[in-house]
Amino acid sequence: MTEDRGTTVPVWTLATGDVRMPGPTAGESLTAERLAELRGVLAVLADEPIVTPERHPLPAGTDRGRGIPLDAASPLARHLSRFIAESARTSLTAARATASGEGLYRMVVPAKVAARFGQGLVRPMAPKAAAGGFHGALVDSTGIAAQATFVPVGRAAAGTAGGAGATAGAAAAGGAALTVAAPLVLMAVAVGVSAHADQRRRQAVEHITELLEQLQQDRLDDEHSALDGCRAAVDKATAVLLDQGEPGLSLGLDSAVHTLDTALSKADTRLARWQRALDALPGGEPVDLATLTESFPGVDGHGGAFRAHLELASLAIALKRRVVVLQAVEHAQQDPGNPFGNFVRALRRDQRSLDALESGIAAVLVRLSALELARPSGRRPVFTTNEVDRLLRAAHHLHRLGDGVAVDGRATDVAIEIVRDKDGSVVVFPALAA
């Protein structure tokens, strides 16, 4: 990739298992469009998941506080360092690009592969400042790929492929064999998805705090406190697992999971209640505001119990998704001979209920945003200014509920951005829609 018309950025093709595929010729430059086509072909034709890491110069002023830091001894950092060293031995392009020891590594997981992780795992997140854009740790929605010249790198030197403790290596000999790096891909996806879930948790906490200050309802405060109290246990378990340890009972993850399951059960109950309330409304007719707010308190404004319940559900889902990733990592590490397959199976099995809950809530919001409000009832032919203003405000807030809601669940390419420092330590930013 060319960022200052003089710097090229290498790109690798990595497989998570032994696979023979026609890949790009080493040293042959590619445009961003050509690379996107290549990713699609590899995802469609390959039997094993294939990802494409890119190495960019480290942007100045990078905010590392948004990511998860891991020291040089962590599995992800070790796998990345070994992969860089082996690539540098076999490719002059890679050796020049990685000589400084630091840089931004952007691993793009194709949509077909990302779909195996669950439809709701990573979705575009609309930023407050730019409508229609996506949140990105280092690269915005347009990306720096628009001016890119990619240079494919040849296979890394042969090494040991396979388990969670293995190094990045090469698949079966032959010109069409791709580098096998299942442990590197596994850990990068795990940390990136965990950071993404934690980002959603922080956003939900900000919204909940503001809402509960307005509502002053002790019962909702208790729900919030119980959920937020799970964070410490989840954070500790994340640190232990990503350092390839085993979380014990002393971390409190079991009790945290029980609290999360209770909160998700409440969210399921509330979702069913909302769905029944919407089904009971007369089809195709304007809805009285008083009738609507009876089932959805505060839906006509910025606050209200309904919005607090939405944010509590969002918080519970975000925390549970992070736990699911941790459980998948632990499961994969217990069978190091097939880490990526176990990782995907564990994610898929545990995410279905979360996907259904999140999709159900999204559908409720879309249905609410499409409702038409009826005029205030009464015998008076003329309404007061306050009544008209309230109706207009309510209609505006109601229609805004559908903004940014993803209901189709279609998988997109997922980008995982990793900053590597000279000492080998890394910071992994929240996974984002590429």
Side-chain angles (χ1 to χ4, degrees), residues 88-110:
R89 293 192 193 103
T90 58
S91 168
L92 182 60
T93 299
R96 288 173 176 171
T98 60
S100 66
E102 64 178 8
L104 163 65
Y105 292 83
R106 191 171 194 256
M107 182 180 293
V108 179
V109 182

Side-chain angles (χ1 to χ4, degrees), residues 336-353:
N338 184 19
F340 200 83
N342 285 338
F343 179 69
V344 170
R345 282 191 294 273
L347 281 176
R348 185 182 299 169
R349 180 175 60 251
D350 293 336
Q351 281 185 66
R352 288 171 183 166
S353 59

Side-chain angles (χ1 to χ4, degrees), residues 249-380:
L249 294 176
S250 61
L251 294 180
L253 189 60
D254 288 348
S255 59
V257 170
H258 173 73
T259 300
L260 292 176
D261 289 341
T262 301
L264 290 170
S265 177
K266 290 181 179 179
D268 272 321
T269 302
R270 287 165 179 158
L271 173 59
R273 188 184 307 130
W274 297 335
Q275 290 171 333
R276 288 195 300 269
L278 287 172
D279 291 340
L281 296 177
E285 297 181 13
V287 179
D288 181 67
L289 182 59
T291 301
L292 193 62
T293 54
E294 184 178 348
S295 299
F296 304 91
V299 72
D300 56 335
H302 289 290
F306 172 65
R307 293 177 187 270
H309 289 156
L310 287 176
E311 296 299 340
L312 286 169
S314 178
L315 175 57
I317 291 172
L319 285 167
K320 183 65 173 180
R321 285 202 187 281
R322 198 173 183 192
V323 169
V324 166
V325 173
L326 297 180
Q327 292 170 335
V329 172
E330 183 179 24
H331 187 58
Q333 289 180 352
Q334 289 174 354
D335 184 7
N338 184 19
F340 200 83
N342 285 338
F343 179 69
V344 170
R345 282 191 294 273
L347 281 176
R348 185 182 299 169
R349 180 175 60 251
D350 293 336
Q351 281 185 66
R352 288 171 183 166
S353 59
L354 293 177
D355 291 339
L357 175 59
E358 200 164 41
S359 297
I361 292 174
V364 165
L365 293 177
V366 170
R367 290 177 67 183
L368 282 171
S369 67
L371 292 177
E372 179 184 354
L373 293 179
R375 299 194 311 165
S377 58
R379 297 181 179 179
R380 292 178 291 116

Side-chain angles (χ1 to χ4, degrees), residues 11-285:
V11 57
W12 295 263
T13 48
L14 302 184
T16 59
D18 289 349
V19 60
R20 295 178 61 84
M21 281 291 300
T25 303
E28 176 188 2
S29 62
L30 298 173
T31 63
E33 292 77 12
R34 180 73 179 87
L35 179 59
E37 293 174 358
L38 174 65
R39 286 177 181 139
V41 170
L42 293 175
V44 170
L45 298 181
D47 294 329
E48 296 288 340
I50 292 177
V51 301
T52 52
E54 311 157 10
R55 193 273 179 194
H56 304 267
L58 183 61
T62 301
D63 180 12
R64 300 168 187 245
R66 301 176 60 192
I68 294 180
L70 297 172
D71 62 33
S74 65
L76 174 58
R78 287 190 287 107
H79 292 317
L80 182 59
S81 295
R82 182 66 62 86
F83 173 72
I84 292 170
E86 292 175 346
S87 296
R89 293 192 193 103
T90 58
S91 168
L92 182 60
T93 299
R96 288 173 176 171
T98 60
S100 66
E102 64 178 8
L104 163 65
Y105 292 83
R106 191 171 194 256
M107 182 180 293
V108 179
V109 182
K112 176 185 175 182
V113 180
R116 299 172 66 177
F117 303 146
Q119 65 174 8
L121 197 60
V122 175
R123 284 177 176 162
M125 302 174 67
K128 297 178 181 178
F134 296 150
H135 273 296
L138 302 173
V139 184
D140 63 19
S141 60
T142 60
I144 49 181
Q147 302 173 1
T149 300
F150 296 89
V151 179
V153 177
R155 292 185 292 135
T160 304
T167 63
L178 299 177
T179 301
V180 176
L184 175 59
V185 177
L186 163 67
M187 296 306 297
V189 171
V191 186
V193 168
S194 182
H196 176 82
D198 194 55
Q199 182 185 52
R200 295 180 68 107
R201 178 198 63 80
R202 288 195 298 267
Q203 291 179 336
V205 168
E206 292 175 1
H207 296 156
I208 292 172
T209 301
E210 181 181 351
L211 288 170
L212 295 185
E213 286 176 353
Q214 299 173 5
L215 290 174
Q216 297 181 345
Q217 293 188 18
D218 292 340
R219 181 174 54 82
L220 294 179
D221 276 331
D222 291 341
E223 285 190 44
H224 175 219
S225 298
L227 281 173
D228 204 34
C230 299
R231 181 178 59 86
V234 175
D235 286 347
K236 291 175 184 175
T238 301
V240 170
L241 270 175
L242 297 183
D243 285 334
Q244 208 165 344
E246 294 185 5
L249 294 176
S250 61
L251 294 180
L253 189 60
D254 288 348
S255 59
V257 170
H258 173 73
T259 300
L260 292 176
D261 289 341
T262 301
L264 290 170
S265 177
K266 290 181 179 179
D268 272 321
T269 302
R270 287 165 179 158
L271 173 59
R273 188 184 307 130
W274 297 335
Q275 290 171 333
R276 288 195 300 269
L278 287 172
D279 291 340
L281 296 177
E285 297 181 13

